[in-house]
Structure formats: C-alpha cells, structure tokens
Amino acid sequence: MPLAAEPDDTHEEGEDQQLLLAKKGEPTLEGLVVGSYCHDVLIRGGRVVGETLGGAAAFVSNVLDAASPREAEQGEAPFVVVSKVGRDFAYASAPAPARRPPLLCASPTTSFHAQFSDAAASAHAPDRELRRVHACDPIYPADLPDRRFAYGLAVGVAGEVLPETLERMIRLCRAVLVDAQALIRAFDGDGAVGHVALEDTPYARLLPRVAFLKASSEEAPYVGVETARRRCCVIVTDGRDGCRLYWDGGEARVAPFPAVQVDPTGAGDSFLAGFAAGLLWGLSATDAALLGNFFGAAAVSQVGVPTFHPKMLQAVKEILEEKIAKRSSPCINGTTFTFDRSSVHDELHAALQEAARLMPEQQQADPTNGNCGDICSV
Ligand SMILES: Nc1ncnc2c1ncn2[C@@H]1O[C@H](COP(=O)(O)OP(=O)(O)OP(=O)(O)O)[C@@H](O)[C@H]1O
Ligand SMILES: O[C@H]1[C@H](O)[C@@H](O)[C@H](O)[C@@H](O)[C@H]1O
C-alpha cells in the first residue's frame, strides 16, 4: 500500500487555476471519492455479531463499480479513491480496497462499534448507536491527485475530510456531492457519535460551491434544510420511506424500493453512489434518486458491503439504456443539472422494482467479509 503524504503540501488558489487551465479540453470523466475505509464491529445484546469492512468509500466504490455507465464493456468504472488506513487494516484484499488501495498511516485504522438495540426499531428512530473507537489520520489537500475530475464524492465517516480538503475537491472537480455525515459528526470523550450544526462549521461557507448535499433524516435538522437548499440541492434520505429532494424553487419525494432489512449500515453511502451513477447516466436529480433508493434498499438487505447479483446489474443497465432516450455524455456538469421528475420516472421505478426481484433477499454468509446474517431485522 502507498504511504500517506505529509500534511505540508498545501496548494494555493493560483496553482490550482493553472492546473485546471493546463488540463482544459481533456476528457475528464473520472470521479474522485474521498473518505476512509474503516473497521465496523456490529454489536447486539452486548455480543459481537459481525466484523465487517466499512467506511463510506467501501460502499460507494461497490455501487459506482456496479452502476456507473461504461464506455467499454470491460474494465472498471473510472474513479479514484483517496482513503487512509493503519497497518492493522484487515480488508486490504477485499474487492474495493484491493482495487483502489488506501494510503497507509502510522495511526490505526478508523474503527466504529455499532450497537444495535434489541427492540425492533421504529421507522424513524435511529437504528444503532455508533462509537468511534479509533481514528486514522485526516485526509489532507496534498493527498488528492493533481488533476481534474468530472465529479467528486466527499464521504468521510470520522471527520477525516478536512474543510481545506473539501475546498480542494471543489477546485479539482466539476461537481461535488457531499455526505453531511462527513461535515457534522462530532465525537465525545468516549467516541460516541453526535452532530453539530452545519452552519457553525467551517464547511458552511463552501455549500454554494457544492452541487448536492445528502443527509439522513436524523442529520437533516443539523443541516438546516431551508437554509442549505438556497445554496445547493439537498437530499434527505428517510430509510424505508425513500427520500426527498429540496432545491431552490422546488422539491420532490422519491418512492423507495421494498427491502428486508438485515443491516442498515452503508444504506446512505450506497444511496449517494447510486444517485451519482444516475447523474452519470444523464438522469435528472429526481430520477437519479430512484437509483439511489434502489441501491440503498439493496444495501440494507445484506450485512456489510453488499454483493450484487450479475443478473440484477445487467437488468439495471438494460433498463437505463432503454429508458434514457438520449443519454447526455456521461459527465456531471454543474451547469447542466436538471432537477424535475421526468416523464419516464414512474416507468423507471416500476422497471427497477422488477430488477430488484433478481436480488436474493439475503446473500449467502460470506465469512471473508465478516458477513454473518441478520443484524437488525425490522
Ligand atoms: N429498510 C429499508 N427499505 C428500503 N429502502 C431502504 C431501507 N433503509 C434504507 N433504504 C434506502 O437507503 C436510503 C438511505 O437510508 P437511510 O436514510 O437509512 O440512510 P442512513 O441513515 O444514512 O444510513 P446509514 O448511516 O446506515 O448508511 C433510503 O433513502 C432508502 O432509499
Ligand atoms: O461503515 C459505516 C458506514 O460508512 C456508515 O455510513 C457510517 O455511518 C459509519 O460510520 C461507518 O462505520
């Protein structure tokens, strides 16, 4: 694994401008995913019931690989992951980190304990209590590659995406999508995860330069949807109820897909990556959120990073190719976003619902992934 850079190499605005100008005109369809892989320990009734690869970067890579449009049939989806782990990282050979190796640090890998309650969770109650047990190093601006990207996903889990790192992402990428959890998580002395108001953080001033901000319904009050929607499009996910989009001048509800939830971990990450893939296919934001809901539902039906059935993925691809009459070139470009529900929205939902049937409800236990069955049935 490559070693992490020192945090001394900060780039000045002028330097970035030169970088962008120098590369202008080049085809830049690549994505940049920034956020660290982590170790997730799943606990229920005081007992460890699962140990899995975690971190939004792992869930996001998995969905981008599965759902991004490809110019060539073969090959991986074009995106780079900037992630940090320690020498104790247990999943270097798991698919996502193996293909996109993290930077190696002296500090231990970020680790979370997720405590699931024994009582069946209600639709809107938090389904787990999270505690950060270890925190790896932050990701510094100098850790990002010196080139342009079509889109960026800021998907930190433990405060590792620093404000200056997000700012550099914004300079490098044509459009940046941000998970609010990367911006508003706070940790008490015991590592328990809480939230701070986004407005009180140094990230707030960057919002007008962000394209999409995704928050869970639990995080939404800290984001301040009414203020934030005037600066960028805000998406609030709501578990089994799907999601809502809020932009300056409109809003939309997007229906969910049915799922048998065994582990909610990574639903939000998988949603965001499905949504980004939808934009890459040329969908409007409201239509792209269908793909977000689809992959969010697929994520909760398995423990840890999900495996998608090839037949299901093939069906999704065929649906997208058929329903999207004119696919704009697969580029996310801030000036060409459309938000409204298109005329094919309902057809797309119905067709994806059929495709979802090709996903076995619960994949076979996969001991190499720590996949151990039902964590949180609701
Ligand atoms: N039980 C479910 N049934 C169907 N779809 C679900 C379910 N739970 C989540 N989803 C899908 O995943 C999306 C994200 O879920 P949720 O709102 O729970 O995110 P989250 O709280 O950020 O998740 P996490 O922090 O566990 O990754 C939802 O908008 C929905 O589309
Ligand atoms: O692996 C998970 C996942 O990435 C979640 O999005 C995040 O809420 C948790 O902190 C993390 O442990």
Side-chain angles (χ1 to χ4, degrees):
M1 263 181 256
L3 288 175
E6 291 298 314
D8 53 3
D9 177 19
T10 43
H11 291 255
E12 298 301 321
E13 182 89 31
E15 197 181 338
D16 279 320
Q17 285 306 327
Q18 272 187 351
L19 172 75
L20 298 190
L21 287 173
K23 305 268 171 89
K24 212 173 172 181
E26 277 182 14
T28 52
L29 303 177
E30 236 184 334
L32 173 65
V33 177
V34 182
S36 286
Y37 300 123
C38 70
H39 292 163
D40 279 338
V41 180
L42 314 177
I43 300 165
R44 188 172 188 167
R47 202 168 59 86
V48 172
V49 290
E51 291 189 55
T52 61
L53 167 65
F59 290 94
V60 162
S61 305
N62 186 44
V63 173
L64 286 181
D65 268 332
S68 299
R70 317 267 165 100
E71 288 316 301
E73 266 315 301
Q74 301 300 323
E76 292 159 8
F79 63 93
V80 169
V81 175
V82 180
S83 175
K84 289 189 175 176
V85 299
R87 291 182 193 285
D88 61 335
F89 185 51
Y91 301 98
S93 57
R99 278 204 297 277
R100 298 185 172 83
L103 299 166
L104 194 58
C105 300
S107 49
T109 301
T110 298
S111 165
F112 283 93
H113 284 185
Q115 184 85 52
F116 291 90
S117 80
D118 264 339
S122 83
H124 302 284
D127 27 27
R128 62 186 175 181
E129 279 174 24
L130 275 181
R131 194 162 69 83
R132 185 184 68 178
V133 180
H134 294 296
C136 199
D137 293 358
I139 299 174
Y140 299 104
D143 293 313
L144 307 187
D146 269 337
R147 60 177 192 271
R148 287 194 78 186
F149 293 89
Y151 68 100
L153 290 169
V155 289
V157 290
E160 71 271 28
V161 182
L162 301 174
E164 54 271 36
T165 305
L166 178 59
E167 186 159 16
R168 182 148 164 81
M169 284 185 73
I170 290 167
R171 288 199 220 124
L172 295 178
C173 304
R174 278 205 296 255
V176 174
L177 291 78
V178 179
D179 192 331
Q181 82 179 1
L183 316 184
I184 59 168
R185 276 191 170 172
F187 306 90
D188 73 11
D190 210 27
V193 176
H195 300 105
V196 293
L198 177 57
E199 208 51 36
D200 298 339
T201 71
Y203 299 102
R205 68 179 179 83
L206 298 172
L207 276 199
R209 295 159 67 198
V210 161
F212 295 95
L213 176 67
K214 183 216 69 107
S216 66
S217 52
E218 197 189 341
E219 291 159 345
Y222 299 90
V223 162
V225 174
E226 285 311 312
T227 310
R229 73 189 292 184
R230 294 199 290 271
R231 302 176 183 161
C232 65
C233 177
V234 181
I235 307 167
V236 179
T237 64
D238 201 6
R240 69 179 83 158
D241 292 336
C243 68
R244 276 183 182 276
L245 282 78
Y246 303 85
W247 61 94
D248 199 8
E251 62 185 76
R253 175 181 178 264
V254 180
F257 293 87
V260 176
Q261 177 170 312
V262 295
D263 176 12
T265 315
D269 311 330
S270 302
F271 171 94
L272 187 62
F275 174 74
L279 296 178
L280 286 167
W281 276 92
L283 292 172
S284 77
T286 300
D287 291 353
L290 279 175
L291 214 55
N293 282 348
F294 180 89
F295 282 102
V300 301
S301 61
Q302 293 179 47
V303 179
V305 179
T307 311
F308 304 122
H309 198 289
K311 277 194 187 148
M312 184 195 81
L313 294 181
Q314 183 59 25
V316 170
K317 185 173 164 263
E318 284 168 13
I319 290 163
L320 292 169
E321 276 168 355
E322 186 199 317
K323 301 284 176 212
I324 303 169
K326 191 173 159 288
R327 192 181 117 202
S328 57
S329 66
C331 93
I332 291 190
N333 183 333
T335 59
T336 60
F337 287 125
T338 54
F339 295 103
D340 288 308
R341 186 184 300 262
S342 78
S343 57
V344 296
H345 186 91
D346 292 338
E347 281 173 45
L348 201 51
H349 186 267
L352 287 172
Q353 200 150 345
E354 280 302 309
R357 292 187 214 284
L358 298 169
M359 181 82 170
E361 272 178 8
Q362 200 173 331
Q363 300 273 335
Q364 291 247 303
D366 173 5
T368 58
N369 205 20
N371 186 336
C372 58
D374 187 349
I375 301 298
C376 172
S377 298
V378 290

